[in-house]
Amino acid sequence: MNEMSILDPVLLIAIPLGLAFLIPLLGLVSKKIVRWIPVVGFLFNGIVALLILPHVLKQPIIVKIGGFVPPFGINLYAGSVGMLLASLIAITGFLVSIYAVKYITKGAEQKYHILFLLLLTGATGVVLTGDIFNLFVFFEILCISSYALVAYLGTRSGLEASIKYLIQGSIGSSFLLIGIGLLYGQFGTLNMADLARQIVDYTEPSVFVSMVFMITGLGIEAAIFPLNAWLPDAHSSAPSSVSAVLSGIAIEVGLYAVIRVLFTIFAVSNFFIFFMVLGVLTVLIGEMSAFAQKNIKRMLAYSSIGQIGLIVFAFSISTQLGVAGGLFQMVSHTLGKALLFLCAGYMIFRTGSMEISSLEGIGKKMPITALCFTIGTFSIVGLPPFTGFASKFMIIRAALANGELLLQILIGLVLVGTIIEGAYFFKIIQTIYFKGAHKTDNREEAPVTALIPMLILVSFIIVIGMFPNIIDKVLQPAASELLDQVKYIGSVLG
Amino acid sequence: MIVIVTFLIVAMLAAAVSAYFFRDLLNAVIASCMVSLIAAVMFILLHAPDVAMAEASIGAALVTTVFVIAIRRTTRYEK
Amino acid sequence: MRKCIGIILLIIIAWGILTSLQTMPFGVSRAKVANHYINNGKDETGAANIVTSVVINYRAFDTLGEVTVLFLSAIGLGAVLATIKTREKRDTEKASLILSTGCRFLFPPIILFGAYIFIHGHLTPGGGFQGGAIIASAFLLMYLGCHGEKRLNDRCSTFSESLGGLAFVIIGLIGLAVGTHYFLNNFMPLGKFNTLLSAGVIPIIYIAIGFKVGAELSKIIDLLMEES
């Protein structure tokens, strides 16, 4: 047994699944252990993922489940993209689960931890798998746990949002399944590499139809513009720790699946203008709706839509720099949005209201949380020296690299979106720090279990923002992996 | 054989369409249960007994029960 | 207007599916992967039922995922229903003696049949999912026929669903540690073909799934029945 077989990427999925099945048993013994299980699981995942990451930058690891050769069995494709996102998921999951230890006190606590653990396990499965039906299965795990978590608080708005999400999400899943079924019927295989090898021309009507079904189905989860009606309600009525992972991870994983299907399976080459326009529309609509919100969580949810639009735009530039910029933006959005939701969680908890106007004077009451929130907004808006700046700058460079007029106009519109984003975030910061100065309440800081994850996220945001080279070493191979279909096929099928 | 299959398909379609048109939701649930049941028979005719078993027990029995419970908690007639 | 748009969208979708379906000849085996399963399944997995060899061996990872989906839906339903206050009790009429005795009489044979289905999953049609669903239908019968008299033992169902899932994952991890070092590989001897003790880990996994699915579906019924 050599070193790599101990660090098998399948452990990233198997261990959390096993822990999730273990939770009900441990729950019979002690209620207190249960809330630390997700922490343990994601700590393990984070360590394993970061240990595997350097190994996959040159050559991806192909995990053959059950030992069957790829088209016949299921394989995991642990390449640079997969491992980058898996590490991101594990780290975010670890931090958010520390936060949740004290934050989740109401309801069926044990069930919350199971659902949370499985939500992120599903996300890890989606980013690592190399088989489209397996992708569907993990997508279902991701979706079903998020439906339940959105309704976790049991409020009327939560239940309503959850049912809305459930209906739209199930339609999306069935579209995805129809698409997969049609592909299987035509090519007789479910392996992504094998499909990619057999699909010669994706514009052939029968193949194109399955592509449209798959992209529509995945697009609902990824919240690309006309398919995002569920998002603001769902993300704003879930508990904040859940909103953090829904906004930070669930939609990005959906977007990853869209990109993987488009680039790797179908090798799409000339629909990018369509996606670019969709992306820009998503940015503008998301940011404008966010500007009009009075409720802080709804504002953050709409801002996520805007960010997703930006990522779609970056990917559809489809050059090395553009795709790397999109991945970088994913990373910085995950870190920034998770931080914002975590801070907002305790701000709402202390003030008892989600209205932005009720946050007056919170900068004095909870100084550390407010500072973290401010850094999060700066990063999302894209101010130096935070990650958001580095990633947005990369996207702008990618858009201007070709010197095409259309791209210049579109990036201009994206920048308008960013300005709107800046305007509403500064409005909140103004409310936090400069309004209601006469109120001098006692300090009521968030508990330590909430502050630690926030501060770690802040340090990530600053360190990556100051030294983008750290992550660039992973982004470049990741972008070439997404763009190079031939290498993908070669490394799976040999 | 072809007669039986045609009959089953027509019955299945009829059940599906009537499930849409019934105002009484209980009838609609029974009609959709019938769709599952005929689907189970079709699976057996297509030599897929494994799927037929799952379809009969889950699609026809358990899902119908869940629907009936839901109707009992809400209203029986569509507005 | 809305209906019109709906109908037009449906027509487009139906047309799309039809154009795709036209390229697939019905009943002709062209699929390379499927042919491989049919021709080599017996030798590679030792299961007489090829469907089982695909579900539990070639695509076992999907099955692990599906088991998790079922687990999730039971847990999710529990989490959502836990927040809702229980309503006032409705008057229910007690079932007649014939009905309740009949249900009690049928309960053990149905359980036995379900157990038979999942224990023989690698030999005859059916398997863990089907057997589990049959077991759950036995519990459903009890709930319908003898309403309010007997209930599912909570602790017992928790035990069987957790242990079932854990057994699946642990068998997978043992496969990673021994034999060919692949997750979920069939590390046990395949035995004599078409006997009860054959096909390596397949029967063990199917028994675990049977317990798990049975417990989960019964729990879902229990949760819903308790609510109504």
Side-chain angles (χ1 to χ4, degrees):
Chain A
M1 204 197 273
N2 60 3
E3 183 203 357
M4 272 336 280
S5 65
I6 303 170
L7 288 178
D8 199 312
V10 79
L11 292 177
L12 295 176
I13 300 165
I15 297 293
L17 274 186
L19 286 177
F21 293 139
L22 195 65
I23 288 180
L25 284 184
L26 287 178
L28 295 177
V29 182
S30 153
K31 301 267 177 229
K32 281 205 174 131
I33 307 177
V34 167
R35 44 176 92 155
W36 292 97
I37 294 286
V39 180
V40 173
F42 291 121
L43 182 65
F44 172 83
N45 260 19
I47 293 170
V48 172
L50 288 177
L51 283 178
I52 297 175
L53 189 59
H55 292 274
V56 298
L57 294 182
K58 288 217 173 59
Q59 191 63 39
I61 303 175
I62 311 294
V63 183
K64 304 183 193 88
I65 304 232
F68 298 104
V69 199
F72 304 118
I74 295 172
N75 71 296
L76 295 186
Y77 185 93
S80 345
V81 188
M83 289 315 298
L84 169 71
L85 292 176
S87 337
L88 188 69
I89 291 167
I91 292 168
T92 320
F94 173 65
L95 296 175
V96 176
S97 51
I98 292 181
Y99 178 90
V101 168
K102 282 266 165 56
Y103 184 73
I104 296 296
T105 47
K106 280 180 284 184
E109 231 182 286
Q110 176 188 328
K111 297 199 165 80
Y112 168 88
H113 293 292
I114 298 176
L115 292 168
F116 184 80
L117 192 57
L118 287 176
L119 172 78
L120 293 181
T121 312
T124 316
V126 171
V127 297
L128 287 182
T129 187
D131 183 288
I132 46 171
F133 190 75
N134 203 232
L135 179 107
F136 170 77
V137 169
F138 280 113
F139 227 86
E140 281 293 282
I141 295 181
L142 171 71
C143 291
I144 292 177
S145 39
S146 29
Y147 305 146
L149 282 174
V150 167
Y152 178 76
L153 290 178
T155 53
R156 209 176 167 73
S157 66
L159 287 173
E160 194 191 319
S162 169
I163 288 176
K164 230 189 232 175
Y165 185 16
L166 173 68
I167 292 172
Q168 298 187 18
S170 321
I171 292 175
S173 300
S174 14
F175 270 33
L176 178 61
L177 190 60
I178 292 173
I180 291 171
L182 291 177
L183 275 186
Y184 180 70
Q186 289 169 65
F187 298 101
T189 178
L190 289 166
N191 187 279
M192 284 191 198
D194 203 18
L195 275 173
R197 190 175 58 180
Q198 290 189 43
I199 293 173
V200 187
D201 179 16
Y202 69 92
T203 47
E204 201 182 305
S206 54
V207 181
F208 190 72
V209 166
S210 15
M211 182 177 99
V212 172
F213 270 116
M214 286 181 77
I215 298 300
T216 318
L218 292 169
I220 290 181
E221 187 57 27
I224 301 172
F225 161 56
L227 309 170
N228 55 12
W230 57 270
L231 188 141
D233 290 338
H235 287 197
S236 59
S237 39
S240 291
S241 53
V242 175
S243 314
V245 287
L246 284 184
S247 254
I249 287 169
I251 48 178
E252 321 228 311
V253 165
L255 201 56
Y256 159 82
V258 173
I259 302 300
R260 183 54 102 188
V261 166
L262 279 180
F263 281 166
T264 304
I265 299 184
F266 294 100
V268 173
S269 51
N270 51 5
F271 276 93
F272 288 120
I273 296 288
F274 172 70
F275 283 104
M276 260 179 223
V277 173
L278 264 190
V280 172
L281 272 179
T282 315
V283 172
L284 290 176
I285 289 171
E287 305 295 11
M288 280 190 224
S289 325
F291 188 75
Q293 298 306 316
K294 296 264 185 297
N295 175 328
I296 181 162
K297 283 185 83 175
R298 282 187 84 85
M299 179 183 271
L300 292 178
Y302 274 112
S303 145
S304 291
I305 296 181
Q307 296 275 320
I308 282 296
L310 183 60
I311 300 171
V312 171
F313 174 75
F315 277 121
S316 41
I317 298 172
S318 74
T319 56
Q320 171 84 19
L321 196 58
V323 174
L327 286 170
F328 197 2
Q329 180 66 26
M330 269 193 183
V331 174
S332 64
H333 175 234
T334 302
L335 297 175
K337 205 37 79 62
L339 174 62
L340 287 181
F341 269 116
L342 294 190
C343 297
Y346 265 102
M347 286 157 110
I348 293 165
F349 188 70
R350 290 277 186 261
T351 54
S353 154
M354 289 199 203
E355 295 298 308
I356 290 172
S357 52
S358 68
L359 293 179
E360 284 179 8
I362 203 108
K364 293 222 174 63
K365 208 168 158 190
M366 325 171 61
I368 304 177
T369 313
L371 182 69
C372 293
F373 188 86
T374 316
I375 290 174
T377 55
F378 284 171
S379 172
I380 292 281
V381 173
L383 292 182
F386 305 110
T387 43
F389 170 74
S391 56
K392 278 192 180 171
F393 189 62
M394 203 182 220
I395 295 173
I396 294 171
R397 266 198 316 174
L400 297 180
N402 299 14
E404 269 180 65
L405 183 65
L406 180 75
L407 270 178
Q408 289 170 354
I409 296 171
L410 288 177
I411 195 77
L413 288 173
V414 168
L415 288 178
V416 171
T418 305
I419 293 169
I420 303 175
E421 195 172 37
Y424 62 76
F425 274 134
F426 287 126
K427 213 167 60 181
I428 300 189
I429 291 169
Q430 194 194 10
T431 318
I432 289 178
Y433 281 112
F434 303 112
K435 279 192 186 164
H438 54 280
K439 286 186 201 163
T440 43
D441 290 5
N442 300 333
R443 279 198 177 188
E444 241 189 336
E445 197 48 82
V448 185
T449 49
L451 287 179
I452 291 172
M454 289 178 203
L455 290 173
I456 294 177
L457 281 170
V458 165
S459 60
F460 273 133
I461 287 175
I462 295 176
V463 170
I464 298 178
M466 301 247 256
F467 310 102
N469 289 341
I470 309 173
I471 201 163
D472 206 47
K473 279 188 198 125
V474 188
L475 289 177
Q476 295 305 334
S480 29
E481 181 203 310
L482 275 176
L483 290 170
D484 193 352
Q485 191 205 16
V486 178
K487 196 183 161 214
Y488 184 94
I489 298 172
S491 53
V492 176
L493 297 177
Chain B
M1 184 67 185
I2 193 89
V3 180
I4 302 174
V5 172
T6 321
F7 172 74
L8 285 176
I9 290 177
V10 170
M12 195 168 159
L13 281 175
V17 171
S18 52
Y20 176 77
F21 282 108
F22 275 131
R23 286 260 170 258
D24 183 345
L25 292 176
L26 212 52
N27 289 357
V29 168
I30 299 299
S32 68
C33 164
M34 206 171 125
V35 175
S36 294
L37 215 55
I38 299 175
V41 177
M42 295 285 287
F43 285 136
I44 289 185
L45 292 180
L46 290 168
H47 299 288
D50 300 73
V51 191
M53 232 182 248
E55 178 75 41
S57 52
I58 295 176
L62 296 176
V63 171
T64 311
T65 322
V66 171
F67 276 134
V68 170
I69 292 171
I71 288 173
R72 209 180 117 172
R73 289 212 64 173
T74 53
T75 50
R76 185 169 163 180
Y77 293 94
E78 198 180 316
K79 274 169 201 138
Chain C
M1 186 58 198
R2 274 177 105 173
K3 264 192 177 167
C4 279
I5 296 176
I7 289 170
I8 290 169
L9 274 178
L10 271 182
I11 289 173
I12 294 174
I13 290 174
W15 174 81
I17 294 179
L18 269 183
T19 42
S20 246
L21 280 180
Q22 273 168 357
T23 60
M24 302 171 214
F26 184 75
V28 182
S29 75
R30 299 181 312 152
K32 186 181 72 181
V33 176
N35 280 338
H36 176 93
Y37 295 153
I38 292 170
N39 297 328
N40 309 352
K42 184 189 141 190
D43 301 330
E44 286 183 7
T45 66
N49 181 3
I50 288 175
V51 178
T52 301
S53 73
V54 175
V55 170
I56 296 298
N57 228 329
Y58 289 106
R59 302 196 67 87
F61 205 48
D62 279 348
T63 310
L64 181 57
E66 290 298 347
V67 167
T68 315
V69 167
L70 204 60
F71 177 67
L72 259 180
S73 39
I75 295 285
L77 190 69
V80 174
L81 289 182
T83 60
I84 298 168
K85 309 277 173 295
T86 36
R87 289 195 178 177
E88 78 282 7
K89 282 239 183 255
R90 288 202 204 182
D91 301 331
T92 42
E93 207 171 306
K94 213 162 171 274
S96 71
L97 185 68
I98 296 175
L99 189 61
S100 64
T101 316
C103 287
R104 267 175 222 181
F105 178 71
L106 278 175
F107 181 71
I110 298 180
I111 296 273
L112 195 65
F113 180 57
Y116 166 80
I117 294 267
F118 67 67
I119 291 174
H120 288 73
H122 55 303
L123 305 174
T124 53
F129 286 101
Q130 291 89 339
I134 290 169
I135 287 178
S137 64
F139 280 98
L140 174 65
L141 188 72
M142 284 304 271
Y143 274 97
L144 290 176
C146 322
H147 189 61
E149 287 178 39
K150 283 203 167 63
R151 281 207 35 211
L152 191 66
N153 185 330
D154 208 33
R155 194 168 272 248
C156 190
S157 76
T158 309
F159 258 107
S160 39
E161 70 176 339
S162 288
L163 286 179
L166 269 180
F168 200 158
V169 175
I170 288 172
I171 287 173
L173 289 176
I174 293 175
L176 191 64
V178 302
T180 46
H181 302 301
Y182 287 111
F183 186 68
L184 280 171
N185 86 57
N186 201 340
F187 58 87
M188 280 168 62
L190 295 186
K192 190 164 171 280
F193 181 70
N194 212 0
T195 52
L196 188 59
L197 295 175
S198 66
V201 295
I202 292 181
I204 304 176
I205 293 181
Y206 248 170
I207 289 170
I209 294 180
F211 271 100
K212 189 170 166 60
V213 172
E216 268 151 15
L217 290 177
S218 318
K219 200 171 188 177
I220 291 177
I221 294 167
D222 175 62
L223 282 168
L224 288 170
M225 281 292 197
E226 188 191 359
E227 276 302 305
S228 70

